[in-house]
Amino acid sequence: MDFLSLAKKRYSVRKYKDLPVEPEKIAQILEAGRVAPTGANRQPQRILVVQTEQGLEKLKKAARFYDAPVVMIVCTAPDEAWVRKKDGKNIAEIDASIVTDHMMLEATSLGLGSLWICWFDPDVLREEFQIPDSFVPVNLLAIGYADGEPASENRHDEQRKPLHETVSFENW
């Protein structure tokens, strides 16, 4: 499948089948995150995979993840990330988001559904999973087998702004 077809196939899944995700698929998803580009190749991301019943119960205290059987907590270490010299912009969260995106698209390529989640309580995550203060939880990625009809791959024609509203050439 070409990349654009894969990107159009992916949608936010909010209902999952009660099936485990195979360890080899989890490994492939994590590998996609590992090879994702990061600023100056600093690789400030750390990923905590939550898939046990006990871990998912703890996660419910911090976020709604629609009973996905696997949730990846994507964290970053701002002190390890590249910083733009001109204005001091730390790109740690950008790096974590690129990693999340690579994993999300790999999940789609493996026939899995996913949901990128930013609505969570970081303090609860820190406490429940002993996340060190030097790391910032940035994204959650819920993963599993989607239950229900997939979203149309043509939905972007109606749900996305046309390119002329979001792209300029040469001048703003």
Side-chain angles (χ1 to χ4, degrees):
M1 176 179 311
D2 67 271
F3 179 78
L4 193 53
S5 296
L6 176 66
K8 287 181 177 182
K9 184 177 181 178
R10 194 226 59 91
Y11 66 99
S12 296
V13 175
R14 290 183 174 84
K15 187 175 180 188
Y16 295 89
K17 293 179 181 176
D18 186 20
L19 295 172
V21 176
E22 298 87 341
E24 58 273 12
K25 288 187 178 183
I26 293 172
Q28 285 181 261
I29 292 166
L30 292 169
E31 179 66 5
R34 186 183 75 84
V35 302
T38 59
N41 198 30
R42 296 281 182 91
Q43 304 169 60
Q45 77 277 3
R46 299 298 183 279
I47 300 161
L48 177 61
V49 180
V50 181
Q51 59 186 336
T52 65
E53 186 176 331
Q54 179 186 11
L56 294 169
E57 282 301 315
K58 293 191 313 185
L59 189 59
K60 284 181 182 178
K61 298 175 186 178
R64 182 174 181 195
F65 55 92
Y66 301 88
D67 295 320
V70 177
V71 179
M72 297 184 180
I73 303 172
V74 183
C75 300
T76 192
D79 291 344
E80 295 179 22
W82 183 77
V83 176
R84 187 169 51 210
K85 301 223 183 298
K86 293 288 185 184
D87 63 357
K89 170 72 175 170
N90 185 308
I91 67 164
E93 292 189 10
I94 295 170
D95 288 342
S97 293
I98 293 169
V99 168
T100 303
D101 190 61
H102 270 56
M103 293 191 306
M104 179 179 67
L105 290 169
E106 179 64 13
T108 301
S109 79
L110 295 170
L112 296 164
S114 64
L115 180 63
W116 184 317
I117 303 167
C118 291
W119 196 80
F120 58 83
D121 187 329
D123 294 329
V124 172
L125 287 179
R126 283 184 187 288
E127 182 177 328
E128 291 295 327
F129 295 99
Q130 297 84 48
I131 297 172
D133 290 340
S134 58
F135 289 92
V136 177
V138 177
N139 303 309
L140 302 179
L141 185 60
I143 299 169
Y145 288 95
D147 191 4
E149 289 297 314
S152 168
E153 293 178 29
N154 298 319
R155 70 192 181 283
H156 303 94
D157 296 338
E158 297 174 5
Q159 297 177 356
R160 296 286 193 261
K161 294 178 181 180
L163 280 177
H164 73 271
E165 289 185 27
T166 60
V167 177
S168 299
F169 290 88
E170 308 305 329
N171 290 302
W172 192 261

